[in-house]
Amino acid sequence: MLFKKRSVVNVVNIDKPAFSMVEILISLAIGTLLIFSLSKFYSNIYIQYLKKNELLNIQKQTHQLLDYFQQHLQHIGYQGLFREKSNYSLFTDNGKPYSLNSPDCLIFLYDLDGDGCIGHRYKKRSCTTKVKNKTKDISKEIFGFKLKAKSIYIFEDDSMKNCRKDKCKQLLANCHKGKWRKLTALSDYAVEKLAFNWVDEGKLMKTELAIQSKKYKNIRYSAVIYSYIFNHINP
């Protein structure tokens, strides 16, 4: 054979339409817009979740505080049965075991350990010399709650344990004196209102509390609780 047989390959050209730069840019813009919309949607859902959770926390804090107040308020003026040589009259003002200086500051006392005295009585010894107090830890039986700079403070002053006569009575009027401890549990919240008011003096007290979130200013919660005084006090 003089000539080699050559294989013939048929080449078929297929014309495919290409994307223009404009079409690519439009596609990218649509995709970006879609991703942004979805991101914003889920972001809004997450923010709403955080706000709802914040509201639940405020509600929880508010009711826990009101319950805490009530646990003490309902015992205002209680005195144990063993009242011999008691110092009770040293601290009360004309028999009143409380001082409501203003709606946002209440100081009161009651015999927490039931030994008949304000403060801790050593065995059955006298709690007073009639002019001077002789008990210890009186701050554990003197209670005070007040609102200051949108924070709640609790009275914790034991400096007057050796007080005499009228000095002892001044303890119930120490809204602007003495040692007060700030409730750090409320550091993330602003207390807009704390108000104690007698509905029936010596028998029924109304407590109002309103708390606002520092993170979300539009989140606020308020509640009211009524405390019946177990030992009715004659005002």
Side-chain angles (χ1 to χ4, degrees), residues 79-130:
Q79 185 179 14
L81 295 178
F82 181 66
R83 302 180 181 183
E84 185 179 346
K85 301 176 181 179
S86 175
N87 64 351
Y88 203 79
S89 60
L90 274 180
F91 295 96
T92 56
D93 184 11
N94 293 322
K96 289 176 63 174
Y98 61 86
S99 177
L100 189 55
N101 296 269
S102 61
D104 59 2
C105 183
L106 171 66
I107 302 179
F108 58 95
L109 57 85
Y110 70 88
D111 185 10
L112 181 63
D113 60 9
D115 64 359
C117 296
I118 297 303
H120 180 65
R121 181 200 292 261
Y122 182 71
K123 295 184 178 179
K124 290 190 177 182
R125 294 182 182 179
S126 174
C127 294
T128 177
T129 62
K130 292 186 179 180

Side-chain angles (χ1 to χ4, degrees), residues 17-33:
F19 289 105
S20 67
M21 183 61 70
V22 174
E23 291 174 324
I24 292 175
L25 291 176
I26 292 174
S27 299
L28 288 173
I30 293 173
T32 302
L33 183 62

Side-chain angles (χ1 to χ4, degrees), residues 192-209:
E192 291 187 327
K193 183 177 184 179
L194 174 65
F196 301 96
N197 290 288
W198 287 112
V199 177
D200 187 354
E201 188 167 0
K203 297 179 181 179
L204 179 63
M205 177 169 280
K206 175 184 177 182
T207 306
E208 299 176 80
L209 181 62

